[in-house]
């Protein structure tokens, strides 16, 4: 691998785009011919993923669905299960989309894409131009910023409560659905409609996923903080954490740790340092 290409890189979004995207990333796998990288990633927000420089097609399995090959410019919907990645080397760049970003850029019901992969061209006719611009730049964050900025104001401003709800999830202090609905001046039923439309899942599942991912990330980064991480995330019974592990990972935390590959191990630490905790 060239010294200029690190295996994992993250970039923060500009202040103007931070309400809409989590950040930008690059994954690079330098493999000898014939070898395949197997890795696994935590559930999270929707994203755009683009493979570059004649990279062999990457594949992604989420639950019972396998997307092989992934499109060269792909939209990956929000996920409630681990994503199992398979690649024979190459480079993938991407951007994480907050729910407000989905609503403002594309709109519609994102739950149609939950735990699924679609060609970005199905959502945006400029997907090919984005792919080409990324191919000819060594700054994917700059290319994504320009592409996103050109699209943000094509639609009327969306409901600001989508962004407020994401901030509540990021903060992680409130877990009662009725209280969160009151904080947003809406009803639990309307809150459920909002989360399915813009987050991809029900409020209860979103809250459980956020709590679980926060606790697991802290444990993987610093295993000695396991009990403290569980308590800080609101787990007062380890059996609840183990049930959530099987719900969101499809296996125990111990098995997940054994399946983790080099990209995931590096990515968790680099992402935490540059962008902060996963939501």
């Amino acid at each position: 691998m060239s010294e200029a290409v690190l295996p994992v890189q993250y970039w923060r979004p500009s202040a103007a785009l931070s309400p809409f995207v989590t950040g930008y990333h690059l994954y690079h796998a330098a493999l000898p011919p014939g070898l395949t990288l197997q890795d696994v990633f935590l559930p999270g927000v929707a994203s755009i993923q683009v493979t570059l420089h004649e990279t062999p097609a990457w594949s992604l399995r989420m639950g019972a669905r396998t997307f092989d090959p992934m499109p060269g410019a792909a939209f990956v919907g929000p996920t409630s299960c681990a994503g199992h990645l398979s690649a024979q080397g190459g480079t993938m760049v991407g951007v994480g989309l907050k729910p407000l970003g989905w609503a403002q850029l594309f709109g519609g019901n994102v739950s149609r894409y939950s735990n699924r992969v679609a060609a970005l061209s199905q959502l945006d006719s400029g997907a090919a131009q984005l792919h080409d611009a990324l191919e000819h730049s060594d700054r994917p964050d700059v290319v994504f910023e320009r592409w996103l900025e050109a699209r943000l104001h094509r639609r009327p401003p969306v409901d600001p409560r989508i962004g407020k709800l994401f901030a509540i999830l990021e903060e992680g202090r409130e877990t009662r659905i009725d209280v969160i609905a009151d904080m947003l001046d809406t009803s639990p039923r309307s809150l459920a409609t909002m989360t399915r439309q813009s987050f991809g899942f029900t409020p209860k599942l979103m809250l459980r996923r956020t709590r679980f991912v926060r606790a697991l990330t802290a444990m993987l980064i610093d295993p000695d903080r396991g009990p403290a991480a569980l308590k800080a995330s609101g787990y007062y019974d380890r059996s609840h954490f183990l049930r959530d592990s099987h719900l969101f990972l499809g296996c125990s935390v111990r098995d997940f740790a054994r399946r983790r590959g080099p990209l995931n191990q590096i990515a968790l630490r680099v992402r935490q340092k540059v962008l902060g905790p996963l939501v």
Side-chain angles (χ1 to χ4, degrees):
M1 183 191 306
S2 167
E3 290 185 358
V5 183
L6 300 175
V8 176
Q9 296 181 64
Y10 280 92
W11 296 269
R12 294 178 64 87
S14 66
L17 285 172
S18 61
F20 306 100
V21 303
T22 59
Y24 313 101
H25 58 263
L26 176 149
Y27 301 142
H28 180 78
L31 299 176
L35 289 186
T36 299
L37 170 73
Q38 302 285 346
D39 215 325
V40 60
F41 287 85
L42 295 175
V45 299
S47 64
I48 294 170
Q49 308 288 350
V50 181
T51 50
L52 302 179
H53 313 313
E54 299 183 356
T55 290
W58 294 30
S59 69
L60 185 63
R61 176 173 62 84
M62 294 183 288
R65 300 186 183 96
T66 298
F67 303 91
D68 184 14
M70 289 179 66
F75 175 78
V76 181
T79 56
S80 62
C81 57
H84 296 263
L85 181 71
S86 178
Q88 294 181 313
T91 301
M92 176 177 282
V93 297
V95 53
L97 296 176
K98 293 181 180 180
L100 190 66
W102 158 263
Q104 188 64 55
L105 289 164
F106 303 115
N109 187 354
V110 76
S111 68
R112 295 181 301 149
Y113 298 99
S114 296
N115 298 319
R116 289 174 169 84
V117 176
L120 181 59
S121 58
Q122 294 180 19
L123 297 170
D124 194 289
S125 60
Q129 289 88 340
L130 172 65
H131 199 169
D132 184 66
L134 289 165
E135 285 277 14
H136 294 89
S137 175
D138 59 0
R139 288 294 305 272
D141 56 321
V142 174
V143 174
F144 275 122
E145 288 256 326
R146 291 171 179 167
W147 190 81
L148 293 166
E149 285 172 349
R151 282 155 176 74
L152 276 178
H153 304 295
R154 291 181 176 180
R155 300 165 56 87
V158 296
D159 190 341
R161 292 178 298 181
I162 298 170
K164 292 177 182 177
L165 176 56
F166 188 82
I168 292 171
L169 293 173
E170 276 189 308
E171 192 174 68
R173 293 183 181 178
E174 187 51 66
T175 59
R176 292 177 52 186
I177 293 172
D178 58 335
V179 173
I180 293 174
D182 285 342
M183 293 169 67
L184 298 174
D185 193 25
T186 189
S187 67
R189 177 175 292 183
S190 295
L191 177 65
T193 299
M194 180 196 302
T195 61
R196 283 193 296 269
Q197 284 277 121
S198 299
F199 292 71
F201 306 104
T202 65
K204 182 178 180 179
L205 188 62
M206 286 299 309
L207 288 165
R208 288 182 68 180
R209 188 191 75 178
T210 301
R211 179 176 69 164
F212 175 73
V213 170
R214 179 179 288 114
L216 179 60
T217 300
M219 292 174 64
L220 292 173
I221 291 175
D222 185 358
D224 293 336
R225 288 192 61 244
L230 291 182
K231 185 176 181 180
S233 299
Y235 284 105
Y236 299 101
D237 184 338
R238 188 172 178 84
S239 65
H240 291 167
F241 178 71
L242 295 177
R243 282 200 294 271
D244 280 354
S245 174
H246 283 276
L247 173 65
F248 293 114
L249 303 180
C251 63
S252 68
V253 172
R254 182 174 298 179
D255 286 342
F256 178 82
R258 283 199 293 261
R259 296 172 186 176
R260 294 172 70 205
L263 288 182
N264 176 270
Q265 295 180 41
I266 299 171
L268 271 188
R269 294 180 182 277
V270 176
R271 191 200 187 283
Q272 179 93 353
K273 182 178 180 180
V274 177
L275 304 180
L278 286 163
V279 177

